[in-house]
Amino acid sequence: MKAELLALLPQWGPWIVAVSAFLSCMMIPVPTSFLLLTAGALTGTGHMQLPELVIAAAVGGTLGDTTAFLLARRIEPRLRRIGRRTAQAMDRARGLLERRGTLAVFLSRWLVTPLGPPMNYVAGASGIALPRFVAASVAGETLWAVLHLLAGHVLGRQVHRTESAALKAVAIGAALAALFWLIRRAWHRRATSC
């Protein structure tokens, strides 16, 4: 699936990024971080436009967040029955929301991203006001998009004028995605061992 998405990225980039962000916010496993990092690297090589991608990612993510938030009262109890990992993620999101309030929504968009999708459902079920949720979502999703796309962009600029720059941009996206995944994994292990 990743190969097909990458092939379409230069032509349909903003749409692919928006749809991917939307789906990932609904707890559907899509390689959105990988796509953003790769798209960011492609902006650095001149194959895509950075502002379009930031807007697409932020809008897609915010729409996904809001849709999950609005569906929360009906879906959230069922999600807890899907599996132990989902139930644990929902419990962690609920704990963060109880400690930090709406700030937890903002933080779960860009800092504690594994809790982002569960936070949408937990926040919707908890009764947070929709305008407050959307404000935190927009700010957090925009920061998330900028951080991912800029990380790829900066490294993509290094291969801007070389042969096969697009292929190298994809490799940069993959390397950054692997690095982000390792950092998240280490963070998660540290948090669960405490």
Side-chain angles (χ1 to χ4, degrees), residues 22-130:
F22 177 87
L23 293 174
S24 66
C25 292
M26 300 286 294
M27 291 183 76
I28 297 171
V30 181
T32 305
S33 291
F34 172 69
L35 284 172
L36 280 180
L37 293 167
T38 303
L42 287 169
T43 67
T45 63
H47 289 87
M48 298 180 77
Q49 298 299 315
L50 188 61
E52 292 175 357
L53 292 170
V54 169
I55 292 168
V59 168
T62 301
L63 289 175
D65 292 343
T66 306
T67 302
F69 178 90
L70 294 172
L71 292 172
R73 289 194 173 96
R74 292 182 184 198
I75 293 177
E76 194 256 349
R78 292 183 193 137
L79 287 175
R80 298 180 62 72
R81 290 185 232 132
I82 289 175
R84 183 179 60 88
R85 294 181 95 193
T86 303
Q88 287 175 339
M90 301 292 266
D91 290 341
R92 289 178 61 213
R94 186 172 286 106
L96 182 61
L97 185 65
E98 288 170 358
R99 288 189 309 276
R100 303 285 184 220
T102 309
L103 178 62
V105 174
F106 171 73
L107 294 175
S108 69
R109 305 303 103 170
W110 65 276
L111 183 61
V112 196
T113 57
L115 293 184
M119 182 65 71
N120 297 333
Y121 294 101
V122 169
S126 73
I128 288 179
L130 180 60

Side-chain angles (χ1 to χ4, degrees), residues 58 62 105-106 109-110 133-146:
T62 301
V105 174
F106 171 73
R109 305 303 103 170
W110 65 276
F133 176 83
V134 170
S137 174
V138 168
E141 292 291 1
T142 302
L143 182 56
W144 165 77
V146 167

